[in-house]
Amino acid sequence: MNLLRRFPRHCRKIFAAGALTLLATTAMPESAQAQIAVFKTASSPWLQDIVLTGLLEGGITANPARPDNGINFGNFLGDHANQAQLNQLSLTLAKPIDPTKSTYQVGFTIQGLYGSDARYYHLLGVSNRAIGDRYQLIPAQAHVDVHAPLLTPGGIDMQAGILQAPMGVEVLDPSARPFYTLAYTSQYSVPFEHLGAMFHWHITKMFDFNFGIDTGNQTTFGGNDNNNAAAGYFGFNVNGLADGKLNIVELSRVGPENGVGAIGPIANTAQRFWNDIAAYYTPTDKLSLTGEFNFLHDNGLHAETWSVVTFAGYKITPSLTFNYRGELYRDSTGLFVVSFLNNQAYMNAFKGGYAPAESAPATTYGALTLGVTYKPDLGHGVRIFALRPEIRFDRSLNGTTPFNDGRNSGVFTFGGDAMIGF
């Protein structure tokens, strides 16, 4: 995310199935979207594998303190306090590839998404100017997928086009994460969307190498790139440790990410360094544990963030899971944790345009979220139905007052979401 010096602190009154889902076998909830074989009776085996999935999700984040500006500070997906909203209505058409097969394969993924979440996942020049209301429309994914049995027995997987960013634990797809709301790390210290290509090289059964190049976080080409430089990823997976119960994913990213319109020509060369490592451990069939460490440094903003996030999930019954998330997040300058106050402000900020926002000084945030996922098997064509109530407490640990329109050092929220897939 590109947060800019143009946001003075007095402006308080006035940013999954992802691009590279092969990066990790996670301990997070499995995706449960229904699959419809679109060309089941076609004579071509390639067409027979094309499937259509759908998901509908809506939620609310209630705030008893009722902030004057109506915004839950530090919360993108549930940013409007005490207001229910349609977060996502998504349809995905896909021809999946199977990386375990030693044959050349070509597939694709096309996903359209409508709802309030779309405000934060645009690409400049593609969809950011289409709708100005709270509910917006994006091409969340549109990429060609290729598996090539080259160089090593496991071969190389490639995705090229519009990609959901692969870095981080929590993803856009709500059925592939444990909570309705996102951690600070997942909002402010990892990218969201790319135009580019990602590669996943299966060097051995235990070790994979990941790399890629793109135009930047949520940018495209020409006048829709906020600087004139590209950016890229590199990292690795270590798979199947501890008798197959532990997987480790490390991913780093480097490249200019700030806008020339915000900080001047230095934006073309000032590098941002993103680093994220996560460990996914499933000691038993009922218990899953995840730990994430993230460090970001931006030469253009002279700013950095670091964070530690821990997750746990315990399956109480086949249809009921208890979820925990704890986070410690440090924003060393106050330039990253920002809440935007109108429906287009987030994307306008990328190019230095009009972007009313609520900010805070340098702050160390602590956040605890508890919840349950109730996911019964309803049958009758309904492949997923889930209710996810949650309670959350956020607090400044260094005495600042970022919450409830600058009144409080802590905030308590509760709410959650419901989803159905068919």
Side-chain angles (χ1 to χ4, degrees):
M1 180 179 171
N2 185 18
L3 296 178
L4 312 173
R5 289 189 182 276
R6 70 182 291 111
F7 295 139
R9 291 184 171 82
H10 64 263
C11 70
R12 297 180 182 200
K13 298 295 182 183
I14 320 267
F15 202 112
L20 197 61
T21 54
L22 299 172
L23 277 175
T25 302
T26 74
M28 311 305 286
E30 69 276 9
S31 177
Q33 294 182 357
Q35 293 191 352
I36 301 172
V38 181
F39 302 107
K40 186 176 181 179
T41 60
S43 58
S44 168
W46 191 87
L47 290 174
Q48 291 174 9
D49 291 338
I50 295 176
V51 296
L52 179 68
T53 67
L55 190 69
L56 175 68
E57 181 219 11
I60 185 172
T61 300
N63 184 342
R66 297 183 179 275
D68 295 338
N69 60 9
I71 297 296
N72 290 316
F73 180 78
N75 190 329
F76 281 172
L77 305 189
D79 53 356
H80 287 266
N82 309 310
Q83 294 184 31
Q85 59 189 9
L86 170 66
N87 287 90
Q88 297 187 22
L89 171 60
S90 66
L91 291 174
T92 306
L93 188 70
K95 158 69 178 177
I97 60 173
D98 184 351
T100 65
K101 294 182 178 180
S102 297
T103 59
Y104 285 94
Q105 301 168 62
V106 178
F108 66 89
T109 300
I110 300 173
Q111 182 183 53
L113 187 152
Y114 174 78
S116 60
D117 291 358
R119 295 169 297 163
Y120 299 102
Y121 287 84
H122 289 287
L123 287 173
L124 284 175
V126 175
S127 56
N128 59 300
R129 293 293 185 183
I131 302 174
D133 299 330
R134 186 188 306 185
Y135 298 152
Q136 300 181 12
L137 180 67
I138 60 170
Q141 299 184 72
H143 49 81
V144 174
D145 308 334
V146 176
H147 175 73
L150 299 174
L151 302 178
T152 58
I156 297 177
D157 302 316
M158 181 200 76
Q159 294 182 321
I162 295 176
L163 312 171
Q164 292 179 9
M167 180 179 285
V169 170
E170 296 176 310
V171 297
L172 175 60
D173 179 0
S175 68
R177 62 176 194 261
F179 294 103
Y180 173 51
T181 61
L182 298 176
Y184 291 92
T185 303
S186 305
Q187 299 176 97
Y188 300 107
S189 293
V190 299
F192 280 179
E193 200 86 359
H194 298 304
L195 180 64
M198 286 292 300
F199 300 84
H200 187 70
W201 182 12
H202 306 276
I203 296 177
T204 69
K205 288 184 178 181
M206 181 172 287
F207 187 81
D208 303 319
F209 180 62
N210 309 305
F211 58 99
I213 188 168
D214 55 72
T215 59
N217 181 32
Q218 298 184 255
T219 65
T220 55
F221 293 106
N224 293 305
D225 192 352
N226 56 4
N227 56 61
N228 63 12
Y233 286 97
F234 57 92
F236 61 86
N237 292 18
V238 181
N239 312 304
L241 300 174
D243 296 324
K245 298 178 180 179
L246 174 64
N247 297 296
I248 297 173
V249 179
E250 191 281 334
L251 203 58
S252 296
R253 175 176 173 81
V254 61
E257 296 287 0
N258 297 298
V260 173
I263 65 173
I266 193 176
N268 292 317
T269 56
Q271 305 294 309
R272 179 176 296 181
F273 302 90
W274 325 57
N275 304 276
D276 190 273
I277 186 168
Y280 304 86
Y281 183 50
T282 53
T284 71
D285 292 339
K286 291 188 174 183
L287 178 64
S288 63
L289 304 171
T290 302
E292 179 181 16
F293 174 75
N294 184 287
F295 177 77
L296 181 155
H297 177 81
D298 191 294
N299 287 336
L301 299 178
H302 303 289
E304 62 186 30
T305 69
W306 62 263
S307 60
V308 176
V309 196
T310 56
F311 300 83
Y314 184 78
K315 188 170 288 188
I316 302 171
T317 70
S319 61
L320 186 66
T321 301
F322 170 78
N323 296 308
Y324 149 91
R325 180 180 63 206
E327 182 178 26
L328 183 65
Y329 184 94
R330 172 64 179 175
D331 180 0
S332 67
T333 58
L335 294 174
F336 278 84
V337 180
V338 169
S339 284
F340 294 92
L341 302 184
N342 70 33
N343 294 321
Q344 293 185 306
Y346 173 84
M347 291 307 301
N348 287 347
F350 278 82
K351 296 189 71 174
Y354 176 65
E358 180 182 19
S359 61
T363 299
T364 302
Y365 298 89
L368 173 66
T369 311
L370 303 174
V372 295
T373 298
Y374 175 59
K375 189 170 60 175
D377 182 5
L378 299 184
H380 303 289
V382 178
R383 294 294 300 275
I384 175 175
F385 175 78
L387 301 175
R388 298 191 301 182
E390 69 173 58
I391 57 173
R392 175 169 175 162
F393 182 69
D394 297 61
R395 186 172 181 82
S396 164
L397 302 180
N398 65 322
T400 61
T401 58
F403 302 108
N404 299 325
D405 205 19
R407 300 195 312 259
N408 302 120
S409 59
V411 60
F412 167 75
T413 58
F414 63 94
D417 64 350
M419 69 184 80
I420 185 169
F422 44 88

